[in-house]
Amino acid sequence: MNHNSINNSLSALSILDLRLFVHLGNSVSEQIEAQEISIDITFSFAVPPKAIYTDDISDTICYARATEVIRDIAYEKPFKLIEHLTVSIYNGLNQYLIDKGYEGISLKVAL
């Protein structure tokens, strides 16, 4: 493959329909029974990950680790609002991306 032929415009990879059961609700009684949520995550890169050239997982996002970050946050505590859960997941994933040297993430959390 001619590496010069790769378009360096924005590229994206997604994890779609990650389903988790979380304790979510404004009152303690609402939080007792876990509710299923579906999460869509899109990782956007201004420059494609180095892994497209190296075929080496250490040169890209580990999706198992990314979903682990999401699960750890979602299961850490009950959440009153979906908005707070969303920003908590976003912040956790953003820190993971910063640690990996990437920028640019869009996140969608849907009930």
Side-chain angles (χ1 to χ4, degrees):
M1 174 194 295
N2 179 352
H3 297 305
N4 294 327
S5 68
I6 299 296
N7 183 347
N8 280 342
S9 64
L10 193 65
S11 61
L13 299 168
S14 298
I15 298 172
L16 301 175
D17 199 27
L18 175 65
R19 293 182 179 257
L20 301 175
F21 284 88
V22 299
H23 293 276
L24 182 66
N26 195 43
S27 67
V28 174
S29 62
E30 288 178 303
Q31 296 173 4
I32 291 173
E33 191 170 327
Q35 299 177 48
E36 185 177 32
I37 62 169
S38 172
I39 304 172
D40 293 341
I41 305 104
T42 300
F43 300 96
S44 300
F45 306 94
V47 176
K50 185 178 171 184
I52 67 170
Y53 306 115
T54 65
D55 200 23
D56 185 342
I57 194 166
S58 66
D59 291 332
T60 193
I61 294 171
C62 174
Y63 302 105
R65 178 66 187 125
T67 58
E68 185 179 288
V69 167
I70 295 166
R71 284 187 179 96
D72 288 350
I73 292 165
Y75 298 154
E76 178 181 22
K77 65 178 186 175
F79 289 87
K80 290 182 181 179
L81 301 173
I82 192 81
E83 293 86 352
H84 185 68
L85 173 59
T86 302
V87 77
S88 297
I89 291 170
Y90 177 89
N91 289 338
L93 284 174
N94 194 48
Q95 186 59 54
Y96 169 70
L97 291 174
I98 289 168
D99 293 346
K100 289 288 289 179
Y102 293 114
E103 293 181 17
I105 179 174
S106 63
L107 172 66
K108 173 185 168 187
V109 178
L111 263 173

PDB file of all heavy atoms in Angstrom, residues 41-57:
ATOM      1  N   ILE A  41     -20.226   4.987  20.751  1.00  0.00           N
ATOM      2  CA  ILE A  41     -19.036   5.809  20.878  1.00  0.00           C
ATOM      3  C   ILE A  41     -18.360   5.891  19.521  1.00  0.00           C
ATOM      4  O   ILE A  41     -18.198   4.875  18.849  1.00  0.00           O
ATOM      5  CB  ILE A  41     -18.028   5.229  21.886  1.00  0.00           C
ATOM      6  CG1 ILE A  41     -18.679   5.002  23.247  1.00  0.00           C
ATOM      7  CG2 ILE A  41     -16.814   6.136  22.036  1.00  0.00           C
ATOM      8  CD1 ILE A  41     -18.979   3.593  23.511  1.00  0.00           C
ATOM      9  N   THR A  42     -17.990   7.092  19.123  1.00  0.00           N
ATOM     10  CA  THR A  42     -17.228   7.272  17.897  1.00  0.00           C
ATOM     11  C   THR A  42     -15.928   7.976  18.242  1.00  0.00           C
ATOM     12  O   THR A  42     -15.938   9.038  18.849  1.00  0.00           O
ATOM     13  CB  THR A  42     -18.004   8.098  16.859  1.00  0.00           C
ATOM     14  OG1 THR A  42     -19.213   7.405  16.551  1.00  0.00           O
ATOM     15  CG2 THR A  42     -17.185   8.280  15.591  1.00  0.00           C
ATOM     16  N   PHE A  43     -14.828   7.332  17.897  1.00  0.00           N
ATOM     17  CA  PHE A  43     -13.503   7.910  18.070  1.00  0.00           C
ATOM     18  C   PHE A  43     -13.120   8.546  16.744  1.00  0.00           C
ATOM     19  O   PHE A  43     -13.053   7.866  15.726  1.00  0.00           O
ATOM     20  CB  PHE A  43     -12.481   6.835  18.434  1.00  0.00           C
ATOM     21  CG  PHE A  43     -12.805   6.106  19.705  1.00  0.00           C
ATOM     22  CD1 PHE A  43     -13.468   4.899  19.665  1.00  0.00           C
ATOM     23  CD2 PHE A  43     -12.448   6.634  20.935  1.00  0.00           C
ATOM     24  CE1 PHE A  43     -13.761   4.217  20.836  1.00  0.00           C
ATOM     25  CE2 PHE A  43     -12.736   5.965  22.108  1.00  0.00           C
ATOM     26  CZ  PHE A  43     -13.395   4.750  22.060  1.00  0.00           C
ATOM     27  N   SER A  44     -12.893   9.840  16.733  1.00  0.00           N
ATOM     28  CA  SER A  44     -12.540  10.559  15.512  1.00  0.00           C
ATOM     29  C   SER A  44     -11.083  10.998  15.586  1.00  0.00           C
ATOM     30  O   SER A  44     -10.639  11.515  16.604  1.00  0.00           O
ATOM     31  CB  SER A  44     -13.434  11.785  15.340  1.00  0.00           C
ATOM     32  OG  SER A  44     -14.787  11.399  15.262  1.00  0.00           O
ATOM     33  N   PHE A  45     -10.370  10.786  14.505  1.00  0.00           N
ATOM     34  CA  PHE A  45      -8.943  11.109  14.444  1.00  0.00           C
ATOM     35  C   PHE A  45      -8.694  12.119  13.333  1.00  0.00           C
ATOM     36  O   PHE A  45      -9.114  11.911  12.206  1.00  0.00           O
ATOM     37  CB  PHE A  45      -8.113   9.860  14.131  1.00  0.00           C
ATOM     38  CG  PHE A  45      -8.368   8.712  15.055  1.00  0.00           C
ATOM     39  CD1 PHE A  45      -9.299   7.728  14.726  1.00  0.00           C
ATOM     40  CD2 PHE A  45      -7.681   8.611  16.243  1.00  0.00           C
ATOM     41  CE1 PHE A  45      -9.529   6.666  15.578  1.00  0.00           C
ATOM     42  CE2 PHE A  45      -7.906   7.548  17.100  1.00  0.00           C
ATOM     43  CZ  PHE A  45      -8.830   6.570  16.768  1.00  0.00           C
ATOM     44  N   ALA A  46      -7.966  13.187  13.654  1.00  0.00           N
ATOM     45  CA  ALA A  46      -7.562  14.144  12.623  1.00  0.00           C
ATOM     46  C   ALA A  46      -6.547  13.502  11.682  1.00  0.00           C
ATOM     47  O   ALA A  46      -6.510  13.779  10.496  1.00  0.00           O
ATOM     48  CB  ALA A  46      -6.978  15.401  13.256  1.00  0.00           C
ATOM     49  N   VAL A  47      -5.733  12.600  12.233  1.00  0.00           N
ATOM     50  CA  VAL A  47      -4.765  11.823  11.461  1.00  0.00           C
ATOM     51  C   VAL A  47      -5.057  10.361  11.763  1.00  0.00           C
ATOM     52  O   VAL A  47      -5.220   9.989  12.928  1.00  0.00           O
ATOM     53  CB  VAL A  47      -3.314  12.179  11.885  1.00  0.00           C
ATOM     54  CG1 VAL A  47      -2.316  11.308  11.165  1.00  0.00           C
ATOM     55  CG2 VAL A  47      -3.036  13.652  11.645  1.00  0.00           C
ATOM     56  N   PRO A  48      -5.143   9.511  10.742  1.00  0.00           N
ATOM     57  CA  PRO A  48      -5.449   8.098  10.995  1.00  0.00           C
ATOM     58  C   PRO A  48      -4.458   7.477  11.979  1.00  0.00           C
ATOM     59  O   PRO A  48      -3.280   7.865  12.013  1.00  0.00           O
ATOM     60  CB  PRO A  48      -5.320   7.451   9.615  1.00  0.00           C
ATOM     61  CG  PRO A  48      -5.525   8.556   8.645  1.00  0.00           C
ATOM     62  CD  PRO A  48      -4.958   9.781   9.312  1.00  0.00           C
ATOM     63  N   PRO A  49      -4.904   6.504  12.780  1.00  0.00           N
ATOM     64  CA  PRO A  49      -4.007   5.848  13.728  1.00  0.00           C
ATOM     65  C   PRO A  49      -2.822   5.195  13.007  1.00  0.00           C
ATOM     66  O   PRO A  49      -2.952   4.685  11.894  1.00  0.00           O
ATOM     67  CB  PRO A  49      -4.880   4.782  14.388  1.00  0.00           C
ATOM     68  CG  PRO A  49      -6.278   5.176  14.093  1.00  0.00           C
ATOM     69  CD  PRO A  49      -6.254   5.977  12.835  1.00  0.00           C
ATOM     70  N   LYS A  50      -1.689   5.203  13.675  1.00  0.00           N
ATOM     71  CA  LYS A  50      -0.470   4.608  13.129  1.00  0.00           C
ATOM     72  C   LYS A  50      -0.677   3.129  12.768  1.00  0.00           C
ATOM     73  O   LYS A  50      -0.024   2.590  11.877  1.00  0.00           O
ATOM     74  CB  LYS A  50       0.647   4.765  14.168  1.00  0.00           C
ATOM     75  CG  LYS A  50       2.001   4.323  13.727  1.00  0.00           C
ATOM     76  CD  LYS A  50       3.016   4.591  14.837  1.00  0.00           C
ATOM     77  CE  LYS A  50       4.352   3.972  14.522  1.00  0.00           C
ATOM     78  NZ  LYS A  50       5.292   4.155  15.646  1.00  0.00           N
ATOM     79  N   ALA A  51      -1.622   2.485  13.451  1.00  0.00           N
ATOM     80  CA  ALA A  51      -1.867   1.055  13.241  1.00  0.00           C
ATOM     81  C   ALA A  51      -2.296   0.714  11.812  1.00  0.00           C
ATOM     82  O   ALA A  51      -2.137  -0.430  11.382  1.00  0.00           O
ATOM     83  CB  ALA A  51      -2.917   0.547  14.216  1.00  0.00           C
ATOM     84  N   ILE A  52      -2.810   1.685  11.059  1.00  0.00           N
ATOM     85  CA  ILE A  52      -3.186   1.372   9.675  1.00  0.00           C
ATOM     86  C   ILE A  52      -1.958   1.018   8.846  1.00  0.00           C
ATOM     87  O   ILE A  52      -2.069   0.355   7.827  1.00  0.00           O
ATOM     88  CB  ILE A  52      -4.003   2.491   8.999  1.00  0.00           C
ATOM     89  CG1 ILE A  52      -3.167   3.744   8.794  1.00  0.00           C
ATOM     90  CG2 ILE A  52      -5.274   2.772   9.768  1.00  0.00           C
ATOM     91  CD1 ILE A  52      -3.842   4.785   7.919  1.00  0.00           C
ATOM     92  N   TYR A  53      -0.788   1.453   9.321  1.00  0.00           N
ATOM     93  CA  TYR A  53       0.463   1.128   8.636  1.00  0.00           C
ATOM     94  C   TYR A  53       1.180  -0.055   9.279  1.00  0.00           C
ATOM     95  O   TYR A  53       1.796  -0.862   8.601  1.00  0.00           O
ATOM     96  CB  TYR A  53       1.417   2.328   8.646  1.00  0.00           C
ATOM     97  CG  TYR A  53       0.811   3.589   8.102  1.00  0.00           C
ATOM     98  CD1 TYR A  53       0.609   4.689   8.918  1.00  0.00           C
ATOM     99  CD2 TYR A  53       0.437   3.689   6.758  1.00  0.00           C
ATOM    100  CE1 TYR A  53       0.049   5.855   8.423  1.00  0.00           C
ATOM    101  CE2 TYR A  53      -0.128   4.851   6.262  1.00  0.00           C
ATOM    102  CZ  TYR A  53      -0.314   5.927   7.099  1.00  0.00           C
ATOM    103  OH  TYR A  53      -0.867   7.070   6.605  1.00  0.00           O
ATOM    104  N   THR A  54       1.098  -0.127  10.630  1.00  0.00           N
ATOM    105  CA  THR A  54       1.900  -1.114  11.355  1.00  0.00           C
ATOM    106  C   THR A  54       1.178  -2.426  11.627  1.00  0.00           C
ATOM    107  O   THR A  54       1.827  -3.426  11.914  1.00  0.00           O
ATOM    108  CB  THR A  54       2.345  -0.537  12.708  1.00  0.00           C
ATOM    109  OG1 THR A  54       1.184  -0.318  13.530  1.00  0.00           O
ATOM    110  CG2 THR A  54       3.133   0.754  12.537  1.00  0.00           C
ATOM    111  N   ASP A  55      -0.148  -2.416  11.611  1.00  0.00           N
ATOM    112  CA  ASP A  55      -0.941  -3.590  11.968  1.00  0.00           C
ATOM    113  C   ASP A  55      -0.631  -4.044  13.402  1.00  0.00           C
ATOM    114  O   ASP A  55      -0.658  -5.218  13.716  1.00  0.00           O
ATOM    115  CB  ASP A  55      -0.719  -4.734  10.970  1.00  0.00           C
ATOM    116  CG  ASP A  55      -1.847  -5.752  10.996  1.00  0.00           C
ATOM    117  OD1 ASP A  55      -2.966  -5.406  11.417  1.00  0.00           O
ATOM    118  OD2 ASP A  55      -1.601  -6.910  10.591  1.00  0.00           O
ATOM    119  N   ASP A  56      -0.328  -3.083  14.268  1.00  0.00           N
ATOM    120  CA  ASP A  56       0.060  -3.354  15.649  1.00  0.00           C
ATOM    121  C   ASP A  56      -0.964  -2.713  16.579  1.00  0.00           C
ATOM    122  O   ASP A  56      -1.185  -1.496  16.533  1.00  0.00           O
ATOM    123  CB  ASP A  56       1.449  -2.778  15.907  1.00  0.00           C
ATOM    124  CG  ASP A  56       1.995  -3.114  17.283  1.00  0.00           C
ATOM    125  OD1 ASP A  56       1.226  -3.495  18.192  1.00  0.00           O
ATOM    126  OD2 ASP A  56       3.226  -2.988  17.452  1.00  0.00           O
ATOM    127  N   ILE A  57      -1.578  -3.520  17.435  1.00  0.00           N
ATOM    128  CA  ILE A  57      -2.634  -3.030  18.327  1.00  0.00           C
ATOM    129  C   ILE A  57      -2.134  -1.947  19.276  1.00  0.00           C
ATOM    130  O   ILE A  57      -2.906  -1.078  19.695  1.00  0.00           O
ATOM    131  CB  ILE A  57      -3.309  -4.179  19.109  1.00  0.00           C
ATOM    132  CG1 ILE A  57      -4.619  -3.676  19.738  1.00  0.00           C
ATOM    133  CG2 ILE A  57      -2.353  -4.761  20.136  1.00  0.00           C
ATOM    134  CD1 ILE A  57      -5.521  -4.756  20.230  1.00  0.00           C
TER     135      ILE A  57
END
